[in-house]
Amino acid sequence: MGFSRAELESFRDAEVPDLIGPGCRLLFVGINPGLWTAATGAHFARPGNRFYPALLRAGIVDRAIDPTAGMSEDDRDLLVSRGVGITNLVARATARADELTADELRAGGLHLRRLVAELRPWVVAVAGITAYRAAFGVRKAVKGRQPEDFEGAELWVVPNPSGLNAHDTVDTLAAAYRAAAVEAGVIAG
């Protein structure tokens, strides 16, 4: 399945519903939906995104998930049954995360605080150090477990799985996601 540039552009500013079920223990937080994600309604759906391959390599899921044409109910059920949820700092879709304003990221951080206070996951894993720093004003934050809790949850900053993040591989993503998943009780250490 493919989309023309015009088709993708028609999804600019669209929102993708959170994928969060009861008993969410590990909440992954993307920066914002890309246009492909908005077109399919599936988080991290753009071809080449390494989120789901990293979840598989980390042992968080036990089979491949390919959301490039949308996510099946079986795939959604698998994530929810594992205690994994997905949301975004900013709800509106853009072609690139750098189109977001600092005000949008800060407002997204406040929204995330309210969501986490309501959901009570064990671990919140924000995927993207630059977005995390902007949203929460922690300019010197580093990847990994953060020293402070976040509305009662452990707070982790993990690498962004976008293909634009050339610093990380599926293996390094998997290691970071696995560490957060172990702390959340999603998988055994």
Side-chain angles (χ1 to χ4, degrees):
M1 173 181 202
F3 297 101
S4 70
R5 180 47 87 203
E7 287 171 327
L8 287 175
E9 281 296 327
S10 75
F11 289 94
R12 183 172 290 279
D13 298 326
E15 295 185 9
V16 176
D18 293 341
L19 192 164
I20 303 171
C24 178
R25 293 184 307 245
L26 173 58
L27 181 63
F28 282 101
V29 183
I31 300 168
N32 75 309
L35 300 179
W36 195 289
T37 286
T40 62
H43 294 273
F44 300 110
R46 183 169 186 79
N49 190 295
R50 300 163 300 167
F51 182 74
Y52 297 102
L55 291 186
L56 180 60
R57 183 89 40 96
I60 296 169
V61 296
D62 58 4
R63 62 177 170 75
I65 295 175
D66 179 3
T68 56
M71 188 172 283
S72 72
E73 282 303 313
D74 284 345
D75 290 341
R76 288 179 203 281
D77 290 347
L78 173 62
L79 291 168
V80 168
S81 73
R82 301 286 299 155
V84 175
I86 306 172
T87 190
N88 289 292
L89 279 171
V90 176
R92 77 176 183 98
T94 60
R96 294 176 52 104
D98 63 8
E99 296 175 37
L100 301 173
T101 67
D103 286 344
E104 283 179 294
L105 289 167
R106 283 191 295 275
L110 292 173
H111 170 75
L112 182 63
R113 282 192 181 283
R114 289 189 297 272
L115 181 66
V116 169
E118 176 186 328
L119 291 175
R120 306 308 249 174
W122 297 1
V123 172
V124 174
V126 178
I129 187 73
T130 302
Y132 172 77
R133 288 172 178 160
F136 298 102
V138 185
R139 293 183 319 178
K140 296 188 182 209
V142 296
K143 291 179 193 172
R145 170 75 159 92
Q146 301 305 296
E148 69 283 348
D149 281 352
F150 188 81
E151 302 301 323
E154 281 191 18
L155 178 61
W156 289 68
V157 177
V158 296
N160 189 298
S162 166
L164 298 175
N165 176 8
H167 301 292
D168 284 285
T169 65
V170 170
D171 287 335
T172 60
L173 293 168
Y177 298 174
R178 180 175 179 76
V182 167
E183 290 301 313
V186 170
I187 55 177

